[in-house]
Amino acid sequence: ARSAIRRLRRSNPGAQIVVTGCYAQRVPEEIAALPGVSSVIGNSHKHRLAELALGSSSNSTSSFVPISALEGCWPTNGRGARTNDERPIFVSDIFAHTELMAAPVFDSANGRTRPNLKVQDGCDNRCSFCVIPSVRGQSRSLPLARVVDEVNGLVSAGYQEVVISGINLGRWGHDLDGHYRFEDLVRTIVSETSLAKLRISSVEPMDWSDELIALMAESPRIAKHAHVPMQSASDAVLRRMHRKYRPWHYYNKLQKIRAAMPD
């Protein structure tokens, strides 16, 4: 990321460079110190990215955090924190956010025909190797009615296929009133929208329930595509990682998916 920032500055010396994402949330001061960086916007303010990048709120004291205020909150570069009003930092406690702030839709590279609808963010797992909970916060879900509205809007715009995604997608709904399950989301999209094809992105092994597998197998409108991540095939390594599955769990899930959808 640092190399990309430097390269951008060399090739576009007059450009405004705004840095956002997990790296920006974790060590904003480190990024702000890089030559050419105009502002740093953490995941906490990512839903206001366009507004902040355009400068409409650059004088807002409610969201502006001077670099000098960050000492002790994030690792410094050894020289201590410093104030630089030319490089504003927009970062706040990611755990203060209890709802999904936005539903950004991204077109993938395949002819702009398969947009990606983010319906979940954050993660409640505490895997030993992973920084995501500290930079994305707790698991937050887009409400069911909002998801339906978003999908219907994409269908009205002419899209035939939509990918639903999230940081820990299978945990969708656990934080919502009503204690929804991920299967409820999939079933509702199929029943309450006219979307021709729903594609499910990565879902952890423990969240491939029998009901989810059956839904995918039975509905011709759900893409027969299962992305099941496996961090390691070693039981001992998975334990040290604090993962919530074991190799035999993974094997059993794949057997069930294969049995329901041989192709």
Side-chain angles (χ1 to χ4, degrees), residues 51-72:
E51 171 194 354
L52 296 174
L54 291 171
S56 59
S57 293
S58 60
N59 296 320
S60 172
T61 56
S62 62
S63 59
F64 173 72
V65 181
I67 298 177
S68 59
L70 299 177
E71 192 167 14

Side-chain angles (χ1 to χ4, degrees), residues 247-261:
W248 66 269
H249 287 133
Y250 190 90
Y251 177 78
N252 287 345
K253 293 295 184 181
L254 291 192
Q255 292 291 89
K256 287 184 175 183
I257 292 171
R258 286 291 189 197
M261 294 168 282

Side-chain angles (χ1 to χ4, degrees), residues 89-104:
I89 292 178
F90 296 90
V91 174
S92 64
D93 181 9
I94 194 66
F95 290 97
H97 296 278
T98 58
E99 61 180 337
L100 189 54
M101 303 299 290

Side-chain angles (χ1 to χ4, degrees), residues 131-262:
V131 73
I132 281 178
S134 65
V135 294
R136 287 189 176 270
Q138 66 194 49
S139 181
R140 305 181 302 285
S141 308
L142 200 65
L144 185 60
R146 175 79 183 278
V147 176
V148 171
D149 288 345
E150 294 284 345
V151 172
N152 281 327
L154 290 168
V155 171
S156 297
Y159 291 106
Q160 298 294 306
E161 180 174 346
V162 171
V163 185
I164 52 173
S165 68
I167 292 298
N168 192 356
L169 183 59
R171 299 281 96 180
W172 178 92
H174 289 222
D175 58 308
L176 300 176
D177 291 337
H179 304 288
Y180 293 103
R181 298 171 302 159
F182 181 59
E183 299 91 316
D184 299 323
L185 173 67
V186 174
R187 187 185 305 103
T188 300
I189 292 175
V190 172
S191 63
E192 297 188 15
T193 76
S194 58
L195 180 66
K197 185 73 70 176
L198 172 66
R199 185 174 293 268
I200 300 170
S201 63
S202 183
V203 173
E204 296 282 350
M206 49 279 194
D207 293 323
W208 281 94
S209 66
D210 292 349
E211 186 176 352
L212 176 60
I213 294 171
L215 273 171
M216 178 178 282
E218 294 166 4
S219 175
R221 294 168 56 204
I222 302 177
K224 304 299 182 282
H225 164 263
H227 186 282
V228 190
M230 179 172 68
Q231 283 75 25
S232 173
S234 163
D235 187 283
V237 171
L238 289 172
R239 288 180 186 276
R240 290 198 295 272
M241 287 179 165
H242 300 163
R243 298 300 293 151
K244 295 181 182 298
Y245 67 92
R246 297 292 175 260
W248 66 269
H249 287 133
Y250 190 90
Y251 177 78
N252 287 345
K253 293 295 184 181
L254 291 192
Q255 292 291 89
K256 287 184 175 183
I257 292 171
R258 286 291 189 197
M261 294 168 282

Side-chain angles (χ1 to χ4, degrees), residues 111-128:
R112 300 176 65 83
T113 60
R114 189 190 292 170
N116 189 315
L117 176 62
K118 184 176 181 179
V119 300
Q120 186 274 339
D121 199 0
C123 186
D124 293 332
N125 296 329
R126 292 296 181 269
C127 301
S128 60

